[in-house]
């Protein structure tokens, strides 16, 4: 499964195929040889995406509440070289302040695409796009320092979590739009940027980073997860992993991709 996870995390494209018997093939090229039976295809493209890159200002035009239920969109992993560079800081700050590290990472992906030098048009700074007032509020003297930036963000997320009694939607919305706006609108504010932000963060949280952090915490594969995947010999140029409907599925991003086909 380590090989499978590596291919999912770093490939430019991953193709997911399913045959008529319910088996699923994960690969980064078209099937060849005896894999031609896999005909149903889903293509997943990896690209970095962030609030900095997508731009856009707050809008008073509401987004349908139905569109943000489930949070299954915007769950593309980043191919940034820095994607895992700050995990030790994330874990340490999350542990100190009782915050889910997967949520911090999903927010970092959405805020800056793991760019520690990111600056927004309105002055938000660094990995977690702290506004100067927020940085001062949580004792961040240098928001361009990754460790300080993440520590300040973790403090803010912990504060928001207490403020909103653990409601993750309100926490994420408050981080983007301010807790005052969440109070004012009694939930996610009707700003297009904020509603898109909540979808992006929680999609990535549910479909990518929570699975990654859970898998890393487990670390030792179970007998079931070892049996559930058949990895082709290393002589193959592409990493191809086959799953069967009748077998238990591993805890990884591959599992969520597989589940999308069922």
């Amino acid at each position: 499964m380590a090989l499978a996870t590596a291919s999912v995390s770093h490939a430019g494209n991953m193709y997911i195929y399913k045959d008529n018997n319910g088996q699923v093939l994960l690969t980064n090229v078209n099937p060849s040889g005896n894999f031609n039976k896999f005909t149903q295809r889903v293509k997943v493209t990896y690209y970095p995406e962030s609030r900095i890159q997508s731009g856009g200002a707050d809008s008073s035009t509401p987004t349908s509440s139905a569109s943000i239920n489930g949070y299954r969109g915007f769950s593309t992993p980043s191919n940034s070289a820095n994607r895992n560079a700050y995990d030790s800081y994330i874990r340490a700050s999350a542990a100190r302040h009782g915050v889910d590290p997967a949520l911090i990472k999903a927010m970092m992906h959405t805020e800056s695409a793991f760019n520690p030098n990111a600056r927004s048009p309105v002055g938000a700074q660094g990995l977690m796009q702290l506004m100067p007032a927020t940085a001062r509020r949580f004792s961040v003297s240098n928001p361009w320092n990754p460790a300080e930036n993440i520590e300040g963000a973790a403090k803010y997320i912990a504060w928001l979590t207490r403020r909103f009694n653990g409601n993750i939607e309100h926490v994420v919305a408050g981080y983007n739009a301010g807790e005052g706006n969440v109070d004012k609108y009694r939930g996610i504010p009707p700003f297009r940027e904020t509603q898109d932000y909540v979808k992006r963060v929680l999609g990535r949280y549910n479909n990518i980073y929570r699975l990654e952090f859970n898998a890393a915490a487990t670390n030792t594969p179970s007998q079931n997860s070892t049996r559930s995947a058949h990895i082709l010999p290393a002589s193959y140029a592409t990493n191809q992993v086959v799953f069967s409907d009748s077998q238990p599925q591993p805890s990884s991003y591959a599992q969520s991709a597989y589940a999308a086909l069922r």
Side-chain angles (χ1 to χ4, degrees):
M1 284 311 301
L3 180 59
T5 302
S7 68
V8 171
S9 299
H10 299 103
N13 295 305
M14 182 179 72
Y15 298 87
I16 307 169
Y17 294 84
K18 189 174 184 179
D19 71 6
N20 293 330
N21 296 320
Q23 283 196 320
V24 170
L25 171 71
L26 282 75
T27 180
N28 61 339
V29 297
N30 292 330
S32 60
N34 64 334
F35 293 97
N36 290 331
K37 63 181 182 177
F38 294 90
T39 56
Q40 182 180 345
R41 188 180 80 177
V42 171
K43 178 181 177 182
V44 180
T45 302
Y46 296 85
Y47 60 97
E49 186 177 22
S50 71
R51 190 157 51 128
I52 297 300
Q53 293 166 319
S54 61
D58 285 351
S59 169
S60 60
T61 303
T63 300
S64 168
S65 60
S67 68
I68 59 175
N69 291 334
Y71 306 109
R72 292 302 174 192
F74 306 110
S75 59
T76 305
S78 171
N79 64 3
S80 167
N82 292 333
R83 182 171 180 252
N84 300 317
Y86 308 105
D87 283 5
S88 60
Y89 296 141
I90 290 172
R91 290 181 187 279
S93 291
R96 273 191 293 271
H97 302 290
V99 176
D100 189 340
L103 180 60
I104 296 178
K105 192 165 183 179
M107 294 171 77
M108 184 185 296
H109 181 160
T110 307
E111 291 286 354
S112 69
F114 308 104
N115 177 5
N117 300 312
R119 182 194 291 270
S120 79
V122 296
Q125 301 169 328
L127 287 167
M128 299 296 292
Q129 288 293 280
L130 297 177
M131 292 296 291
T134 305
R136 290 191 298 270
R137 179 181 172 189
F138 293 99
S139 305
V140 178
S141 59
N142 181 8
W144 305 110
N145 179 288
E148 286 193 55
N149 190 286
I150 294 167
E151 180 74 3
K155 290 179 182 178
Y156 188 26
I157 295 167
W159 186 90
L160 289 168
T161 301
R162 293 189 295 271
R163 170 73 176 268
F164 296 120
N165 298 314
N167 185 315
I168 191 171
E169 297 174 14
H170 294 178
V171 169
V172 175
Y175 191 94
N176 176 264
E179 59 271 15
N181 276 319
V182 176
D183 291 337
K184 176 181 178 180
Y185 293 102
R186 299 182 180 180
I188 301 171
F191 309 143
R192 182 175 298 132
E193 178 191 329
T194 300
Q195 296 204 356
D196 284 349
Y197 179 80
V198 172
K199 286 191 292 183
R200 291 175 191 275
V201 169
L202 296 185
R204 287 162 177 157
Y205 171 71
N206 287 321
N207 294 331
I208 306 172
Y209 298 117
R210 188 165 60 171
L211 296 170
E212 281 190 0
F213 278 96
N214 286 345
T218 304
N219 206 13
T220 304
S222 67
Q223 290 182 350
N224 283 342
S225 64
T226 301
R227 288 196 303 267
S228 66
H230 171 64
I231 301 177
L232 299 183
S235 59
Y236 282 78
T238 177
N239 296 323
Q240 300 185 100
V241 185
V242 179
F243 298 103
S244 170
D245 279 340
S246 62
Q247 297 170 319
Q249 302 306 312
S251 295
S252 68
Y253 182 72
Q255 180 181 7
S256 66
Y258 171 78
L261 292 176
R262 300 191 71 178

